[in-house]
Amino acid sequence: MNRKMKRTFLDFETKAEVIKKIKIGVEKEEILQKYEIGESSYYKFLRHESEIMNTLKKPENKHRRLFKKLKNEYLDDAVIKWFQQTRDRGVLVTGPMIREKAKVFNEKLNGPANFKASSGWLSKLKKRYNIKCSDIKGESFTYSTECIEEFSKSLKKKIINEKLLLENIYNADEAGIYWRTIVSAIQLEKLQGNNLFHLNNSNDLITVLFCSNASGNHRIPLLLIVNEDESACLENLLSNDENSEGKKKSCLNELSSLGIIYANQENSRICQKIFKDWFEEIFIPRALDFQRDSKISGKILLILDNAPCHPAIDELNAINKNIEVIEIPANVSAQLRRTHS
């Protein structure tokens, strides 16, 4: 009697992992057994390789398993972008805040008049985009002074025990900027309805990565992530930049006349690939050059928050033995920004 095979639904990140193993020659039977999938899924992943890889370009999709056609996909896109931008600014996001914002966006997008942004809708949104309880205030943990003090003590102990110099301690963080939205508060108050909504056009967004050491005497060049239109403008500047070698490093380009590095990304947001390229090709060489020029030595420490656009800490730490990356706990980073802003 044939036993019916249990259906296994893999998320897109795992599907990409399967494809990579197939490409490097891992035996088919080994893959089928490890991931508990059938031959039909095995070949289906190969047929849809480009679709799977394109889906993974958006970090929020990596834990999704299936894509059902949404009644209003633009609403989902608007809510998720708002959620990411608000959370990345260090603002505590609550479930009711998401629901209220969804109703506003639904009205702006001329969505269904009976849309209520119910708790059921919120639950499904969180599941679709892998929004964990810890991402939303009050659903898992609270931001407390105890957490901040614990992390601060741990970091101070590390600095003392390992005799780390302030010149060797760096912090990097990203910020989204709507570069066309440079208007006064008075002008902003005069904007109403759709005019205000259109200010947050994704085509006007750039992401900037800032990085400096604790002593403030070494700043890594700004990293800009721009879309295709803005990238074309920078390419024109690059061709006229006599001080720049015009040398392309993976997805990164350097425009030395402006003292910036830039990368082209469809949604103008940083992703794990861009961050890893920046870490390997910009941060590490510049930090080591600064050590040599300043005649200092010792381990270099880079402090990051827990943003999903960062590769795994173990992956970064395996690149250079003289450079260690540590992550600020999820329940500390946003509150630290609010405390010191």
Side-chain angles (χ1 to χ4, degrees), residues 175-194:
I177 299 173
Y178 288 95
W179 60 275
R180 293 185 195 271
T181 315
I182 306 176
V183 294
S184 69
I186 295 176
Q187 289 174 315
L188 191 59
E189 288 177 359
K190 292 179 180 179
L191 293 172
Q192 296 179 356
N194 289 333

Side-chain angles (χ1 to χ4, degrees), residues 51-115:
E51 179 184 343
I52 291 171
M53 295 307 179
N54 285 334
T55 300
L56 279 175
K57 288 181 178 179
K58 290 187 176 182
E60 64 267 21
N61 289 335
K62 66 179 182 178
H63 295 297
R64 296 188 66 178
R65 292 176 171 81
L66 299 173
F67 274 115
K68 295 182 180 179
K69 189 167 182 61
L70 301 172
K71 292 182 180 178
N72 192 342
E73 58 184 315
Y74 297 108
L75 175 63
D76 260 39
D77 191 47
V79 171
I80 289 301
K81 285 182 178 178
W82 169 83
F83 171 75
Q84 291 173 331
Q85 292 160 12
T86 305
R87 184 191 59 186
D88 291 347
R89 291 199 305 270
V91 178
L92 301 183
V93 181
T94 66
M97 284 171 61
I98 296 176
R99 293 171 61 184
E100 286 302 314
K101 201 67 179 180
K103 287 190 281 189
V104 172
F105 284 141
N106 181 68
E107 184 179 351
K108 302 288 186 184
L109 294 167
N110 297 317
N114 61 348
F115 177 73

Side-chain angles (χ1 to χ4, degrees), residues 3-43:
R3 186 177 62 180
K4 188 175 181 180
M5 180 178 288
K6 178 183 176 182
R7 295 188 69 185
T8 302
F9 294 96
L10 305 182
D11 58 32
F12 280 89
E13 186 175 39
T14 309
K15 290 176 183 178
E17 183 180 311
V18 170
I19 292 171
K20 289 176 183 176
K21 290 194 174 183
I22 295 173
K23 296 289 187 181
I24 64 175
V26 177
E27 293 292 332
K28 180 174 70 173
E29 291 304 321
E30 181 182 338
I31 293 175
L32 298 184
Q33 184 176 0
K34 178 176 180 179
Y35 294 96
E36 299 181 344
I37 58 174
E39 286 194 17
S40 59
S41 296
Y42 178 93
Y43 291 113

Side-chain angles (χ1 to χ4, degrees), residues 177 243 327 330:
I177 299 173
N243 297 320
E327 187 177 81

Side-chain angles (χ1 to χ4, degrees), residues 257-287:
S257 64
L258 296 181
I260 63 170
I261 311 295
Y262 71 94
N264 177 13
Q265 174 79 327
E266 183 180 0
N267 59 5
S268 302
R269 295 188 178 280
I270 194 166
C271 62
Q272 291 188 6
K273 173 174 171 39
I274 291 178
F275 188 92
K276 187 177 180 182
D277 284 344
W278 170 85
F279 179 71
E280 287 187 277
E281 300 170 7
I282 305 301
F283 175 75
I284 292 179
R286 304 285 174 125

